[in-house]
Amino acid sequence: QYKFRDLTIEELKNVNKTYPNFTFSMNTYTFKDGSQKDLLNFSGTVPVKYGNSYNIPIHLWILDSHPFAPPICFLKPTVNMGIAVGKHVDAHGRIYLPYLQNWSHPKSTVTGLIKEMIAKFEEELPLYSLSPADAARQSELLSYIAKITEGETDMKSKSKIGGGRNEGCFNKITVVGAGDLGIACVLAVAAKGAADKVVLLDLSEGAAKGGTMDLEIFALPNVEISKDFSASADSKVVVLTVNSLGNAQTYLDVIQSNVDLFRGIIPAISHYSQNTVLLVASHPVEVMTFVSWKLSGFPKSRVIGVGANLDTERFQYVLTNLLKARMLAKDAWIIGEQGEDKVPSWTSCNSVANQTEAMVVCNSREKVANSAMEVLKGKGQRSWSVGLSVADLTDSILKDKRKVHSVSTLAKGCCNINSEVFLSLPCILGTSGVIEMVKLEEDPLVQEKLQSSAGSIHDLQQQLKL
């Protein structure tokens, strides 16, 4: 059934010469669309030097169009090994490499692929040793991963791996990513007191690399640090703060690196917390919220970006406290996309007494908005300030406050936007995420700016490989 049988056999002979420990077999692989094929596959270990020498177990499937199509590659961790999710490996052990993306016969070979795999693993070790307690949970996780590596890709499995560990924990938040922003979110959420438990999921390699050492030393109550996705099980809100730190050359490459990173995170998070609200703080927030929505399969109401919540709170504060325009501040919002293209807008003039006064208020908005935006210039968004904004949003969600926030939500159908893009718009938030979008006043200039943002974001999304 192999279209280029002789070429395939010849190449696998070369693999066997270089790596004689590999074992070969024919097994059935189930693809994402449910179709099945009997495929050649082999497994074994590759030598990796990362301080010490390690033998990393891998499993490769050879497609029937080989060598014109790249193999499907997985890690095969033992029970006492944990998967270190990174830019080249997802939570299920699926391996992603530039060599695979740029596969081209006859330049590309399986032997060359394995050599690059070893080189990349020596830069970022894909596995780590588990403690005995973690190893027990890992045995359950491996049974799930085994289904993925055998081709079974039902991400809507109802099994709850390690579910018993969170019994009695009512409001639980997981923060993914232990960089400055992730730690800022943990501290702000803990200080807010809305969550019974906060889990910091540290995906970095090494105990100190993720910046979690001080959190471990001073042991904040109700804060858990883990490298295991199962620790996130049954979270009410999952905050995504990770950003790829790869050597991308262009803006598109940077975003694609983030997409590749999310491919390994979102399915695992979705598996362990199937009813969670995803709150995205990674950059660019509009695109990464769209990516999270697509990868999770969640309804649009449960995938939200932090968007312009911080900008809006600052905007309203300046209007009320510095410009003494309290009446305008009540219905004032920053909407659209983060950065220079954000737009000030209002939801209503209902607070004024009559039509004449309403016209006066509406005519004064542009001047007041310009003054406020001038005050806010150069303020930037530091990690701790974004962390406070995240805590504000999670508080509204967990406590079902039905408070209005300007967050990134699916904008299709609003302001004549027909594409699937996420933009910041005023939304009522509750335990199920976005409950309702608040209607904006019809302003042709605002609509034009939103449509322009939607167009540029959509064009960017079309260039990404999801």
Side-chain angles (χ1 to χ4, degrees):
Q1 62 179 347
Y2 275 73
K3 299 171 186 175
F4 310 100
R5 183 176 178 275
D6 293 342
L7 289 173
T8 300
I9 291 174
E10 187 65 29
E11 184 164 3
L12 295 185
K13 282 181 179 178
N14 292 333
V15 172
N16 192 48
K17 287 178 184 177
T18 310
Y19 304 98
N21 68 322
F22 284 151
T23 57
F24 294 79
S25 63
M26 285 287 294
N27 295 98
T28 302
Y29 187 93
T30 305
F31 294 87
K32 289 183 179 180
D33 62 1
S35 62
Q36 294 183 328
K37 280 185 181 178
D38 290 331
L39 297 178
L40 276 166
N41 62 95
F42 60 90
S43 58
T45 61
V46 293
V48 171
K49 290 184 179 180
Y50 192 86
N52 297 319
S53 295
Y54 299 92
N55 291 316
I56 303 297
I58 61 171
H59 189 183
L60 274 63
W61 294 83
I62 307 299
L63 294 173
D64 57 2
S65 53
H66 191 86
F68 294 93
I72 300 171
C73 309
F74 291 93
L75 293 170
K76 291 289 287 185
T78 60
V79 173
N80 63 345
M81 294 178 180
I83 296 172
V85 175
K87 58 185 176 182
H88 300 306
V89 179
D90 70 15
H92 310 300
R94 181 76 180 262
I95 299 168
Y96 301 92
L97 296 170
Y99 201 96
L100 290 169
Q101 292 180 347
N102 301 320
W103 185 276
S104 176
H105 176 76
K107 180 178 66 175
S108 302
T109 64
V110 176
T111 304
L113 169 64
I114 295 173
K115 286 180 180 178
E116 177 169 293
M117 196 178 294
I118 292 170
K120 295 300 183 184
F121 289 169
E122 287 180 344
E123 294 174 6
E124 185 177 77
L125 203 63
L127 298 169
Y128 60 92
S129 297
L130 293 171
S131 67
D134 287 334
R137 291 196 300 272
Q138 181 75 353
S139 63
E140 286 190 79
L141 181 60
L142 284 176
S143 66
Y144 176 69
I145 292 175
K147 295 179 182 179
I148 302 297
T149 60
E150 289 162 11
E152 297 180 26
T153 55
D154 180 13
M155 294 310 301
K156 299 192 183 298
S157 167
K158 298 298 180 184
S159 63
K160 290 186 178 180
I161 300 171
R165 62 191 291 185
N166 298 313
E167 290 179 3
C169 179
F170 182 67
N171 280 336
K172 176 180 175 182
I173 291 176
T174 293
V175 177
V176 183
D180 289 345
L181 177 56
I183 292 175
C185 290
V186 169
L187 295 174
V189 168
K192 196 81 172 178
D196 300 307
K197 185 173 185 180
V198 184
V199 174
L200 176 61
L201 202 56
D202 183 359
L203 304 182
S204 62
E205 180 59 34
K209 272 191 178 179
T212 56
M213 183 184 293
D214 291 338
L215 284 180
E216 291 178 341
I217 290 171
F218 295 102
L220 293 178
N222 302 326
V223 174
E224 175 187 348
I225 303 168
S226 178
K227 286 181 173 291
D228 190 338
F229 276 99
S230 65
S232 68
D234 303 318
S235 295
K236 295 291 182 67
V237 179
V238 174
V239 183
L240 295 148
T241 70
V242 289
N243 286 290
S244 174
L245 299 177
N247 298 318
Q249 298 297 313
T250 68
Y251 182 57
L252 181 62
D253 290 338
V254 171
I255 300 175
Q256 185 63 56
S257 294
N258 273 356
V259 172
D260 295 341
L261 190 59
F262 270 49
R263 275 202 315 234
I265 295 172
I266 300 299
I269 289 295
S270 305
H271 172 68
Y272 286 112
S273 300
Q274 296 174 13
N275 297 310
T276 192
V277 174
L278 296 178
L279 181 57
V280 182
S282 303
H283 294 296
V285 67
E286 295 84 15
V287 175
M288 298 316 298
T289 308
F290 167 80
V291 170
S292 300
W293 176 54
K294 285 295 185 181
L295 292 176
S296 67
F298 285 178
K300 63 182 182 180
S301 60
R302 289 200 285 119
V303 185
I304 305 166
V306 295
N309 183 61
L310 175 58
D311 290 320
T312 292
E313 293 295 333
R314 288 172 168 177
F315 186 56
Q316 293 177 350
Y317 177 86
V318 169
L319 290 177
T320 300
N321 296 283
L322 301 183
L323 303 181
K324 307 301 180 185
R326 183 179 298 274
M327 185 175 291
L328 289 180
K330 180 181 178 182
D331 301 309
W333 308 94
I334 299 296
I335 61 172
E337 60 180 307
Q338 279 191 355
E340 294 180 359
D341 293 323
K342 58 192 175 190
V343 187
S345 183
W346 278 262
T347 50
S348 72
C349 271
N350 294 335
S351 57
V352 297
N354 54 57
Q355 187 174 359
T356 302
E357 189 178 350
M359 289 181 65
V360 172
V361 169
C362 291
N363 289 334
S364 68
R365 283 177 177 172
E366 185 176 354
K367 182 179 178 181
V368 175
N370 289 340
S371 298
M373 298 298 277
E374 193 64 32
V375 171
L376 294 173
K377 262 187 184 177
K379 295 295 182 186
Q381 295 196 354
R382 298 172 181 84
S383 294
W384 60 266
S385 55
V386 177
L388 290 171
S389 177
V390 166
D392 180 44
L393 294 171
T394 55
D395 186 58
S396 288
I397 294 169
L398 292 178
K399 293 181 179 178
D400 200 25
K401 283 188 169 181
R402 308 297 176 102
K403 182 181 173 183
V404 183
H405 296 269
S406 182
V407 291
S408 300
T409 188
L410 187 64
K412 186 176 182 180
C414 174
C415 300
N416 296 317
I417 295 171
N418 297 317
S419 52
E420 291 183 337
V421 296
F422 281 70
L423 291 172
S424 281
L425 295 166
C427 296
I428 301 172
L429 298 188
T431 52
S432 59
V434 173
I435 297 170
E436 183 183 346
M437 191 185 299
V438 178
K439 189 175 180 181
L440 293 165
E441 281 195 341
E442 294 185 5
D443 183 331
L445 184 59
V446 168
Q447 291 196 10
E448 182 182 338
K449 289 182 178 179
L450 291 180
Q451 289 166 9
S452 175
S453 290
S456 60
I457 291 171
H458 179 68
D459 289 344
L460 183 59
Q461 288 172 179
Q462 292 295 100
Q463 301 177 64
L464 297 173
K465 298 174 184 176
L466 289 181

